[in-house]
Amino acid sequence: MAALIALAFSLGAPLARASELDHEIDQLKAQVAQHSAAVYTFEQKILYPASTRLAVFLTQVGQAALSLDAVELFLNGQPVTSHLYSERERDSLEQGGVQQLFVGNLPNGEHELKIVVSARSVKDTYVRREAIHRFEKRPGSTRLQLSLDAPAPDFAPRVSLVDWK
């Protein structure tokens, strides 16, 4: 009987130690996640300082009037981003979602943003539209909202830009 009790005691110690190790590992994982978030925040502040930051967001106004295929952005004649849309992303935009298309640094002054939209209209015709938006970058963060719409009766895509204050 004493041997069984000693055996149970000796088996319980490794299990308790394993439980302590699991707890320590969980604490270390939480600390790593906190440090990772802090590093990401610091990295964003260094890479994109608020005084020179430009962010462009995409929204879609019409419900299912336009099936978005791709969007390309050019800043001062240089390509800065392009995005091909999946069915899931299209659905998200149609339900009022907002997509961050671009974040970058830009000096103060006059600039030109060119937007190229490729989509299919409700009439199942392929369309490609280009829009140019000239704006002045002022000190501080600049956020532009790019809105896509395809109003009836022709369902031709319209691109509009609004400066978020």
Side-chain angles (χ1 to χ4, degrees), residues 14-65:
L15 291 176
R17 181 64 185 146
S19 176
E20 288 175 20
L21 285 175
D22 287 343
H23 181 69
E24 287 178 28
I25 289 171
D26 288 341
Q27 285 180 327
L28 288 173
K29 284 181 182 178
Q31 288 176 349
V32 166
Q34 286 175 337
H35 290 304
S36 178
V39 166
Y40 177 78
T41 301
F42 184 63
E43 181 180 61
Q44 292 300 306
K45 287 180 181 178
I46 289 174
L47 292 176
Y48 308 112
S51 63
T52 63
R53 183 178 306 144
L54 170 68
V56 180
F57 300 90
L58 174 71
T59 60
Q60 189 169 345
V61 178
Q63 298 292 322

Coordinates of all heavy atoms in Angstrom, one line a residue, residues 14-65:
P14 N 5.4 15.2 -11.7 CA 5.6 15.6 -13.1 C 4.3 16.3 -13.7 O 4.4 17.2 -14.5 CB 5.9 14.4 -13.8 CG 6.4 13.4 -12.8 CD 5.7 13.8 -11.6
L15 N 3.1 15.8 -13.3 CA 1.9 16.4 -13.9 C 1.7 17.8 -13.4 O 1.3 18.7 -14.1 CB 0.7 15.6 -13.5 CG 0.6 14.2 -14.1 CD1 -0.6 13.4 -13.6 CD2 0.5 14.4 -15.6
A16 N 2.1 18.1 -12.1 CA 2.0 19.4 -11.6 C 3.0 20.3 -12.3 O 2.7 21.5 -12.6 CB 2.2 19.4 -10.1
R17 N 4.2 19.8 -12.5 CA 5.2 20.6 -13.2 C 4.8 20.9 -14.6 O 5.1 22.0 -15.1 CB 6.6 19.8 -13.1 CG 7.7 20.6 -13.8 CD 8.0 21.8 -13.1 NE 9.1 22.5 -13.8 CZ 9.2 23.8 -13.9 NH1 8.3 24.6 -13.3 NH2 10.1 24.4 -14.6
A18 N 4.2 19.9 -15.3 CA 3.7 20.1 -16.7 C 2.7 21.2 -16.7 O 2.6 22.1 -17.6 CB 3.2 18.9 -17.3
S19 N 1.8 21.2 -15.7 CA 0.8 22.3 -15.6 C 1.4 23.7 -15.4 O 0.9 24.6 -16.0 CB -0.2 21.9 -14.5 OG -1.2 22.9 -14.3
E20 N 2.4 23.7 -14.6 CA 3.1 25.0 -14.3 C 3.8 25.5 -15.6 O 3.8 26.7 -15.9 CB 4.2 24.8 -13.2 CG 3.6 24.7 -11.8 CD 4.7 24.4 -10.8 OE1 5.9 24.7 -11.1 OE2 4.3 23.8 -9.8
L21 N 4.4 24.5 -16.4 CA 5.1 24.9 -17.6 C 4.0 25.4 -18.6 O 4.3 26.4 -19.3 CB 5.8 23.7 -18.2 CG 7.1 23.3 -17.5 CD1 7.7 22.1 -18.1 CD2 8.1 24.5 -17.6
D22 N 2.9 24.7 -18.7 CA 1.8 25.2 -19.6 C 1.4 26.6 -19.3 O 1.2 27.5 -20.2 CB 0.6 24.3 -19.6 CG 0.8 22.9 -20.3 OD1 1.8 22.9 -21.0 OD2 0.1 22.0 -20.0
H23 N 1.3 26.9 -18.0 CA 0.9 28.2 -17.5 C 2.0 29.3 -17.9 O 1.7 30.4 -18.4 CB 0.6 28.2 -16.0 CG 0.2 29.5 -15.5 ND1 -1.0 30.1 -15.8 CD2 0.9 30.4 -14.7 CE1 -1.1 31.3 -15.2 NE2 0.0 31.5 -14.5
E24 N 3.2 28.9 -17.7 CA 4.3 29.8 -18.0 C 4.4 30.1 -19.6 O 4.6 31.2 -20.0 CB 5.7 29.2 -17.6 CG 5.8 29.3 -16.1 CD 7.2 28.7 -15.6 OE1 8.1 28.7 -16.4 OE2 7.2 28.1 -14.5
I25 N 4.1 29.0 -20.3 CA 4.1 29.2 -21.8 C 3.0 30.1 -22.2 O 3.2 31.0 -23.1 CB 4.0 27.8 -22.5 CG1 5.3 27.0 -22.3 CG2 3.7 28.0 -24.0 CD1 5.3 25.6 -22.8
D26 N 1.8 30.0 -21.6 CA 0.7 30.8 -21.9 C 1.0 32.3 -21.6 O 0.7 33.2 -22.3 CB -0.6 30.4 -21.2 CG -1.2 29.1 -21.8 OD1 -0.8 28.8 -22.9 OD2 -1.9 28.5 -21.1
Q27 N 1.7 32.5 -20.5 CA 2.1 33.9 -20.1 C 3.1 34.4 -21.1 O 3.0 35.6 -21.4 CB 2.7 33.9 -18.7 CG 1.6 33.7 -17.6 CD 2.3 33.7 -16.2 OE1 3.4 33.3 -16.0 NE2 1.5 34.3 -15.2
L28 N 4.1 33.6 -21.5 CA 5.1 34.1 -22.5 C 4.4 34.4 -23.8 O 4.7 35.4 -24.4 CB 6.2 33.1 -22.6 CG 7.1 32.9 -21.5 CD1 8.1 31.7 -21.7 CD2 7.9 34.2 -21.3
K29 N 3.4 33.6 -24.2 CA 2.7 33.9 -25.5 C 2.0 35.2 -25.4 O 2.0 36.0 -26.3 CB 1.7 32.8 -25.8 CG 2.4 31.5 -26.3 CD 1.3 30.5 -26.6 CE 1.9 29.2 -27.1 NZ 0.8 28.2 -27.3
A30 N 1.4 35.5 -24.3 CA 0.6 36.7 -24.1 C 1.6 37.9 -24.1 O 1.3 39.0 -24.7 CB -0.1 36.7 -22.8
Q31 N 2.8 37.8 -23.5 CA 3.8 38.8 -23.5 C 4.3 39.1 -24.9 O 4.5 40.2 -25.3 CB 4.9 38.5 -22.6 CG 4.6 38.6 -21.1 CD 5.7 38.2 -20.2 OE1 6.7 37.6 -20.7 NE2 5.6 38.4 -18.9
V32 N 4.5 38.0 -25.7 CA 5.0 38.2 -27.0 C 3.9 38.9 -27.9 O 4.3 39.8 -28.7 CB 5.3 36.8 -27.7 CG1 5.5 36.9 -29.2 CG2 6.6 36.2 -27.0
A33 N 2.7 38.6 -27.7 CA 1.6 39.2 -28.4 C 1.5 40.7 -28.1 O 1.4 41.6 -29.0 CB 0.3 38.6 -28.1
Q34 N 1.7 41.1 -26.8 CA 1.7 42.5 -26.4 C 2.9 43.2 -27.0 O 2.8 44.3 -27.5 CB 1.8 42.6 -24.9 CG 0.5 42.2 -24.2 CD 0.7 42.3 -22.7 OE1 1.8 42.1 -22.1 NE2 -0.4 42.4 -22.0
H35 N 4.1 42.6 -27.0 CA 5.3 43.2 -27.6 C 5.1 43.4 -29.1 O 5.5 44.4 -29.7 CB 6.5 42.4 -27.2 CG 7.0 42.5 -25.8 ND1 7.2 43.7 -25.1 CD2 7.2 41.6 -24.9 CE1 7.5 43.5 -23.9 NE2 7.5 42.2 -23.7
S36 N 4.6 42.4 -29.7 CA 4.3 42.4 -31.2 C 3.4 43.6 -31.5 O 3.7 44.3 -32.5 CB 3.7 41.1 -31.6 OG 3.5 41.2 -33.0
A37 N 2.4 43.8 -30.8 CA 1.4 44.9 -31.0 C 2.1 46.2 -30.8 O 1.9 47.2 -31.6 CB 0.2 44.8 -30.1
A38 N 3.0 46.3 -29.8 CA 3.7 47.6 -29.5 C 4.7 47.9 -30.6 O 4.8 49.0 -31.1 CB 4.4 47.5 -28.2
V39 N 5.4 46.8 -31.1 CA 6.4 47.0 -32.2 C 5.6 47.4 -33.5 O 6.1 48.3 -34.2 CB 7.2 45.7 -32.4 CG1 7.9 45.7 -33.8 CG2 8.1 45.5 -31.3
Y40 N 4.5 46.8 -33.7 CA 3.7 47.2 -34.9 C 3.3 48.7 -34.8 O 3.4 49.4 -35.8 CB 2.4 46.3 -35.1 CG 1.6 46.7 -36.2 CD1 1.9 46.4 -37.5 CD2 0.4 47.5 -36.0 CE1 1.1 46.8 -38.6 CE2 -0.4 47.8 -37.1 CZ 0.0 47.5 -38.4 OH -0.8 47.9 -39.4
T41 N 2.8 49.1 -33.7 CA 2.4 50.5 -33.5 C 3.6 51.5 -33.7 O 3.4 52.5 -34.4 CB 1.8 50.7 -32.1 OG1 0.6 49.9 -32.0 CG2 1.3 52.2 -31.9
F42 N 4.7 51.1 -33.1 CA 5.9 51.9 -33.3 C 6.3 52.0 -34.7 O 6.7 53.0 -35.2 CB 7.0 51.3 -32.4 CG 8.3 52.1 -32.3 CD1 8.3 53.4 -31.8 CD2 9.4 51.6 -32.8 CE1 9.4 54.2 -31.8 CE2 10.6 52.3 -32.8 CZ 10.6 53.6 -32.3
E43 N 6.3 50.8 -35.4 CA 6.7 50.7 -36.8 C 5.8 51.6 -37.7 O 6.3 52.3 -38.6 CB 6.6 49.3 -37.3 CG 7.0 49.0 -38.7 CD 6.8 47.6 -39.1 OE1 5.6 47.1 -39.0 OE2 7.8 46.9 -39.4
Q44 N 4.5 51.6 -37.4 CA 3.6 52.5 -38.2 C 3.9 54.0 -38.0 O 3.8 54.8 -38.9 CB 2.1 52.2 -37.8 CG 1.6 50.8 -38.2 CD 1.7 50.6 -39.7 OE1 1.2 51.4 -40.5 NE2 2.4 49.6 -40.1
K45 N 4.2 54.4 -36.7 CA 4.6 55.8 -36.4 C 5.9 56.2 -37.2 O 6.0 57.3 -37.6 CB 4.7 56.0 -34.9 CG 3.4 56.0 -34.2 CD 3.6 56.2 -32.8 CE 2.3 56.2 -32.0 NZ 2.4 56.4 -30.6
I46 N 6.8 55.3 -37.3 CA 8.1 55.6 -37.9 C 7.9 55.6 -39.4 O 8.4 56.5 -40.1 CB 9.2 54.6 -37.5 CG1 9.6 54.8 -36.1 CG2 10.4 54.7 -38.4 CD1 10.5 53.8 -35.5
L47 N 7.3 54.6 -40.0 CA 7.1 54.4 -41.4 C 6.2 55.5 -42.0 O 6.4 55.9 -43.1 CB 6.7 53.0 -41.8 CG 7.7 51.9 -41.6 CD1 7.0 50.6 -41.9 CD2 8.9 52.1 -42.4
Y48 N 5.1 55.8 -41.3 CA 4.1 56.7 -41.8 C 3.8 57.7 -40.7 O 2.7 57.7 -40.1 CB 2.8 55.9 -42.1 CG 3.0 54.7 -43.0 CD1 2.8 53.4 -42.5 CD2 3.4 54.9 -44.3 CE1 3.0 52.3 -43.4 CE2 3.6 53.8 -45.2 CZ 3.4 52.5 -44.7 OH 3.6 51.5 -45.5
P49 N 4.7 58.7 -40.6 CA 4.4 59.8 -39.6 C 3.2 60.5 -40.0 O 2.9 60.7 -41.1 CB 5.7 60.6 -39.7 CG 6.5 60.2 -40.8 CD 5.9 58.9 -41.3
A50 N 2.4 61.0 -38.9 CA 1.2 61.6 -39.2 C 1.3 62.9 -40.0 O 0.4 63.2 -40.8 CB 0.5 62.0 -37.8
S51 N 2.4 63.5 -40.0 CA 2.6 64.8 -40.7 C 2.7 64.6 -42.2 O 2.4 65.5 -43.0 CB 3.8 65.5 -40.2 OG 5.0 64.8 -40.5
T52 N 3.0 63.4 -42.7 CA 3.2 63.1 -44.1 C 2.2 62.0 -44.6 O 2.3 61.6 -45.8 CB 4.6 62.7 -44.5 OG1 5.0 61.5 -43.8 CG2 5.6 63.9 -44.1
R53 N 1.4 61.5 -43.8 CA 0.6 60.3 -44.1 C -0.5 60.6 -45.1 O -1.3 61.6 -44.9 CB 0.0 59.7 -42.8 CG -0.8 58.4 -43.1 CD -1.3 57.7 -41.9 NE -0.2 57.5 -40.9 CZ -0.4 57.6 -39.6 NH1 -1.5 57.9 -39.1 NH2 0.6 57.5 -38.8
L54 N -0.7 59.7 -46.1 CA -1.8 59.7 -47.0 C -2.4 58.3 -46.9 O -1.7 57.3 -47.1 CB -1.4 60.0 -48.4 CG -2.5 59.8 -49.5 CD1 -3.6 60.9 -49.3 CD2 -1.9 59.9 -50.9
A55 N -3.7 58.3 -46.7 CA -4.5 57.0 -46.7 C -5.6 57.1 -47.7 O -6.3 58.2 -47.7 CB -4.9 56.7 -45.3
V56 N -5.8 56.1 -48.5 CA -7.0 56.1 -49.4 C -7.8 54.9 -49.1 O -7.3 53.7 -49.0 CB -6.5 56.0 -50.9 CG1 -7.6 56.0 -51.8 CG2 -5.5 57.1 -51.2
F57 N -9.1 55.1 -48.9 CA -10.1 54.1 -48.5 C -11.1 53.9 -49.7 O -11.4 54.9 -50.3 CB -10.8 54.4 -47.2 CG -9.9 54.6 -46.1 CD1 -9.3 55.8 -45.8 CD2 -9.6 53.5 -45.3 CE1 -8.5 56.0 -44.7 CE2 -8.7 53.6 -44.2 CZ -8.2 54.8 -43.9
L58 N -11.6 52.7 -49.8 CA -12.6 52.4 -50.9 C -13.9 52.0 -50.3 O -14.0 51.2 -49.3 CB -12.1 51.3 -51.8 CG -13.1 50.8 -52.8 CD1 -13.2 51.8 -53.9 CD2 -12.6 49.4 -53.4
T59 N -15.0 52.6 -50.8 CA -16.4 52.2 -50.4 C -17.2 52.0 -51.7 O -16.8 52.6 -52.7 CB -17.1 53.3 -49.5 OG1 -17.1 54.5 -50.2 CG2 -16.3 53.5 -48.2
Q60 N -18.2 51.2 -51.6 CA -19.1 51.0 -52.8 C -20.5 51.5 -52.4 O -21.0 51.0 -51.4 CB -19.1 49.6 -53.2 CG -19.8 49.4 -54.5 CD -19.5 48.0 -55.1 OE1 -18.7 47.3 -54.7 NE2 -20.4 47.6 -56.0
V61 N -21.1 52.4 -53.1 CA -22.4 53.0 -52.8 C -23.5 52.1 -53.2 O -24.4 51.7 -52.5 CB -22.5 54.4 -53.4 CG1 -23.9 55.0 -53.1 CG2 -21.4 55.3 -52.9
G62 N -23.5 51.6 -54.5 CA -24.6 50.8 -55.0 C -24.6 49.4 -54.6 O -23.6 48.8 -54.5
Q63 N -25.8 48.9 -54.3 CA -25.9 47.5 -53.9 C -26.0 46.6 -55.1 O -27.0 46.6 -55.8 CB -27.2 47.3 -53.0 CG -27.2 48.1 -51.7 CD -26.1 47.6 -50.8 OE1 -25.9 46.4 -50.7 NE2 -25.4 48.5 -50.1
A64 N -25.0 45.8 -55.4 CA -25.0 44.8 -56.5 C -25.2 45.4 -57.9 O -25.5 44.7 -58.8 CB -26.0 43.7 -56.2
A65 N -25.0 46.7 -58.0 CA -25.1 47.3 -59.3 C -23.8 47.2 -60.1 O -23.7 47.4 -61.3 CB -25.5 48.8 -59.2

